[in-house]
Amino acid sequence: AFEQNGIKKKTRFRHLPQPPPGKTEQIIFRMIEESMTNTFKHGNADFMSLHFLYENSRITVRIFDNGKIKSAPSGTEIKEGIGMKGMRERLEPLHGSLSAGYVKDGFLLQAVIPEADLNEQHN
């Protein structure tokens, strides 16, 4: 765990390929960068966690923050801006999926990238 801009961050890695193949690493980096920008700019959070997991033939990236949105009920519809649309567009060539929404005590963004597409972009 570390702190930056007044926000404590925790990162967990589980079985993540080192380094992720092809453009996956760059796409994940941009997603984290955009999420952190949104957290700093809109979230008023004091905690953010990044969780990277490789299992069931896919990479899953989960980014959570406990920002001011924590008062929104789970399942409340979110309004997608340019950042979220950009994340979706970058995941499309990898056949990845993106979900985002309010959860208990904050906001959760999750991307899933299938292994078959990871292998294809590596060749």
Side-chain angles (χ1 to χ4, degrees):
F2 65 97
E3 187 170 329
Q4 179 183 17
N5 295 344
I7 298 177
K8 293 179 186 171
K9 295 171 194 72
K10 181 178 179 182
T11 306
R12 284 184 46 198
F13 296 92
R14 187 165 162 216
H15 308 294
L16 192 63
Q18 294 294 324
K23 294 182 180 180
T24 304
E25 185 174 26
Q26 180 183 6
I27 289 168
I28 291 171
F29 176 80
R30 290 287 296 129
M31 187 172 68
I32 293 168
E33 186 176 56
E34 183 65 37
S35 295
M36 291 178 82
T37 298
N38 288 341
T39 297
F40 298 145
K41 198 172 186 180
H42 307 294
N44 194 25
D46 60 9
F47 177 77
M48 178 180 215
S49 70
L50 310 170
H51 184 188
F52 303 92
L53 173 66
Y54 178 72
E55 70 178 3
N56 299 325
S57 301
R58 63 186 181 199
I59 290 178
T60 301
V61 180
R62 292 184 186 121
I63 304 169
F64 169 83
D65 76 59
N66 72 341
K68 65 182 177 188
I69 298 168
K70 61 187 164 195
S71 61
S74 289
T76 301
E77 188 175 329
I78 63 165
K79 192 176 195 179
E80 276 196 16
I82 293 170
M84 292 278 287
K85 289 177 185 175
M87 287 184 224
R88 278 190 202 286
E89 289 172 3
R90 285 189 285 279
L91 285 167
E92 279 177 15
L94 305 179
H95 303 280
S97 63
L98 181 72
S99 60
Y102 304 108
V103 295
K104 184 178 185 235
D105 297 327
F107 188 80
L108 178 66
L109 179 80
Q110 178 172 291
V112 178
I113 304 167
E115 180 179 43
D117 297 299
L118 293 172
N119 291 332
E120 283 176 21
Q121 61 171 313
H122 195 266
N123 295 331

